[in-house]
Amino acid sequence: MIRWMLLVFIVLVLINSTTDILRRVGLGRLPGDFSFRLLGREVFIPFASAVLVTVLLFSIIKLMAWLF
C-alpha cells in the first residue's frame, strides 16, 4: 500500500513539474484536463491528455510490432 501511495505521489509531482512543457505542446487545454489552485499552488491534472498520449503510444507500439 505504501509503495502505491509513493508511486502515485511521484507521478503527480512529475506531472505537475511538466505543466509548462505540456502547455507549450498544446496538451493541457483539452476538456478533461483540470487545473485548480490548492493552498496557493496551481495543481494540474491532465486526465484527457494522459488518455490521448496513452492511445498514441499504444498505436505506435502496435504499428511497430505489425511492421517488424
Side-chain angles (χ1 to χ4, degrees):
M1 181 73 175
I2 296 291
R3 290 181 187 170
W4 283 107
M5 289 174 56
L6 184 60
L7 179 68
V8 168
F9 175 75
I10 291 171
V11 168
L12 288 175
V13 168
L14 289 174
I15 289 171
N16 198 21
S17 66
T18 59
T19 302
D20 292 333
I21 297 170
L22 289 175
R23 288 186 182 166
R24 286 184 197 146
V25 175
L27 297 174
R29 297 185 192 134
L30 298 175
D33 295 336
F34 299 105
S35 179
F36 56 91
R37 294 187 81 60
L38 180 66
L39 301 173
R41 299 199 70 159
E42 185 176 347
V43 179
F44 176 64
I45 304 174
F47 287 125
S49 295
V51 170
L52 180 66
V53 169
T54 302
V55 168
L56 288 175
L57 286 175
F58 179 75
S59 299
I60 290 170
I61 291 170
K62 286 299 243 186
L63 179 65
M64 290 181 72
W66 182 71
L67 290 175
F68 300 110

